[in-house]
Amino acid sequence: MFDERTDADLLEMMRRGQRNERVAIAERLLAAGRLCQQRMRSVEAAERAQWCIDNWEAVAAEVAAELGVSQGRASSQMNYGVQLIERLPKLGVLFASGAIEYRIVITAIFRTGLIVDADLLDAVDTRLAQQAAGWNTCSEEKLKERIDWFVRELDPHAVRAARRADDDRHIETTPAADGMAEIYGRVRASDAAAFDQRLNQLAATVCRDDPRTTRQRRSDALGAWSAGIPTMQCECGSGECPAGADSANDPTQIVIHLLAEAKTVTGEGDAPALLAGYGGIPAETVRTMAKHAKLRPVVGGKELNAEPRYRPSNALAEFIRCRDLTCRFPGCDRPASMTDIDHTVPYPLGPTHPSNLKLLCRLHHLLKTFYAGAGGWADRQLPDGTVVWTSPSGRTYTTKPGGALFFPQLFTPTAELKLPQAPAQNEPGRGVMMPARRRTRTQDRADRIRWERGLNEARAAAHPPPF
């Protein structure tokens, strides 16, 4: 494709590709915004404004399924599209032409978010549309500086004030390679100092013959501290270790689930185990952990039959969680620990059986329950755990059990059931059962804007110009 191209041709392809990319992103966001507008104008949207899962969430689920992204990302894209259509239409036209980058658009949407006067917002939109094409080379800080200049000039109380450093406290954990994970965050200095000392104290509870380095002991100390164990397990291997008497593994309320083949645990095989959300754990680590863990065999789906009750037995529930691993709605990856076990065909029409059970997070469980029937979501489950979803727009999406990728035996088809069509669930009065919001989404947004503008007004009153 590129062999016969001149330097000029390649540069032109790059420029054209960049412009097409911008146009495509704008098309996606604006389409999401238009779909949202259309659905929010319906009578049902007003009736469901107080629902926990309102029409916005319902549209976000459909967008997430179509794009193969999470519910949160879909909601963000809908919001950007609506903002470009309703609040910054001139900037939206410029974006759709391919003249500006996506990061300019999302920065402008956020930095102008506190403007409530329509005329002032139009004036800012006009200036952005006139100037933004020349900002593609600007850094994030420069973009904020220029957009804030326009906002401050026209509506000083709408400038986004920097958050205090203390407001940005957070702790994050992310998966890493080879059965490891990374922990990072931002905490108060006093808490960091206490945390640092506590790791040192725990790392010192082993004897001097422990083979680990100080850094390794501090890392392992985090596991003991998280489990509420007062001392670390010494690894010197001596039966007369002076730290041994204090290294008992007291039972705690901290539980993690590791999914492994029996041969890995016994040493007959070296297949890695799975720690959901973090990936593979080396076989050697699994066997070390197994010495102090509670082992619980997972009963295969073929060995499980229909149960004469709504709530599945522990064995059946464990199989469903290990097979699915995450919520089975398209685009959702919430882990098994945060999901419900759902009957695809509602009980008692559909049995409590592996071929009729799957995991759904609470959001998508409510969505399936209250947005079903004519013009809503429908799902069909196959014996191997595959679920075929049909959206309100008639589009179909297929999800397969997450555990089957790592342990194919979990994908073995269970009994094929003759199930009736799931009944429509949108009968009158059903909405009364939906958990309700205290305030609608629109009220929440208006309150946040009033609160933030109020802080700016109070700040200006306390320190009037010149500053």
Side-chain angles (χ1 to χ4, degrees), residues 191-386:
D191 292 335
F195 176 73
D196 189 53
Q197 289 187 30
R198 182 58 178 151
L199 290 185
N200 285 336
Q201 288 174 357
L202 280 169
T205 59
V206 298
C207 80
R208 66 177 61 190
D209 294 326
D210 187 283
R212 291 167 291 185
T213 65
T214 301
R215 290 182 62 187
Q216 290 171 340
R217 290 200 308 274
R218 277 174 54 89
S219 175
D220 293 347
L222 182 61
W225 179 71
S226 300
I229 299 173
T231 59
M232 288 178 59
Q233 182 76 33
C234 187
E235 295 187 359
C236 67
S238 171
E240 300 179 357
C241 173
D246 298 324
S247 299
N249 286 319
D250 298 330
T252 70
Q253 297 300 314
I254 304 299
V255 178
I256 62 171
H257 293 275
L258 206 63
L259 190 58
E261 293 185 2
K263 290 183 178 180
T264 299
V265 176
T266 61
E268 301 173 55
D270 288 317
L274 177 69
L275 179 58
Y278 290 87
I281 304 296
E284 184 178 347
T285 303
V286 174
R287 286 189 279 272
T288 300
M289 295 174 68
K291 295 176 184 177
H292 309 287
K294 181 178 180 180
L295 304 180
R296 188 161 57 196
V298 176
V299 179
K302 283 271 189 191
E303 303 170 47
L304 297 166
N305 299 312
E307 298 179 350
R309 55 186 174 274
Y310 172 77
R311 188 178 299 277
S313 64
N314 288 338
L316 178 52
E318 284 296 315
F319 171 75
I320 299 300
R321 292 190 183 99
C322 292
R323 184 196 67 188
D324 289 0
L325 291 183
T326 66
C327 172
R328 297 297 307 284
F329 193 85
C332 187
D333 62 355
R334 285 184 179 149
S337 60
M338 300 173 64
T339 60
D340 304 325
I341 295 181
D342 170 63
H343 288 74
T344 298
V345 175
Y347 184 85
L349 293 176
T352 302
H353 185 280
S355 298
N356 191 47
L357 296 176
K358 63 181 180 299
L359 298 183
L360 286 180
C361 69
R362 186 58 54 85
L363 186 155
H364 290 123
H365 198 170
L366 289 171
L367 183 83
K368 176 201 166 178
T369 302
F370 292 94
Y371 288 82
W377 283 94
D379 55 337
R380 180 170 58 90
Q381 185 168 337
L382 306 182
D384 61 4
T386 298

Side-chain angles (χ1 to χ4, degrees), residues 99-129:
I100 58 175
E101 293 187 356
Y102 176 50
R103 64 192 185 92
I104 295 176
V105 171
I106 60 176
T107 303
I109 289 172
F110 178 72
R111 306 307 294 183
T112 61
L114 299 184
I115 302 176
V116 293
D117 184 280
D119 292 334
L120 294 180
L121 184 62
D122 179 68
V124 171
D125 185 28
T126 299
R127 293 192 183 186
L128 290 172

Side-chain angles (χ1 to χ4, degrees), residues 137-172:
T137 59
C138 289
S139 66
E140 296 298 322
E141 288 304 315
K142 289 293 184 184
L143 284 176
K144 294 176 185 177
E145 180 183 278
R146 297 182 182 204
I147 296 169
D148 285 353
W149 182 268
F150 292 158
V151 176
R152 181 176 289 106
E153 188 176 0
L154 294 170
D155 190 358
H157 294 150
V159 175
R160 294 277 192 180
R163 292 189 300 177
R164 295 180 304 164
D166 193 65
D167 293 340
D168 196 35
R169 303 188 307 278
H170 64 100
I171 292 288
E172 308 290 341

Side-chain angles (χ1 to χ4, degrees), residues 404-441:
L405 173 66
F406 306 96
F407 303 97
Q409 58 269 39
L410 295 174
F411 201 51
T412 303
T414 52
E416 187 160 357
L417 306 176
K418 292 183 179 180
L419 300 173
Q421 178 102 14
Q425 298 182 339
N426 56 351
E427 62 267 18
R430 187 168 182 83
V432 177
M433 300 162 56
M434 166 69 86
R437 299 168 175 267
R438 292 184 177 179
R439 297 177 298 181
T440 67
R441 191 180 297 270

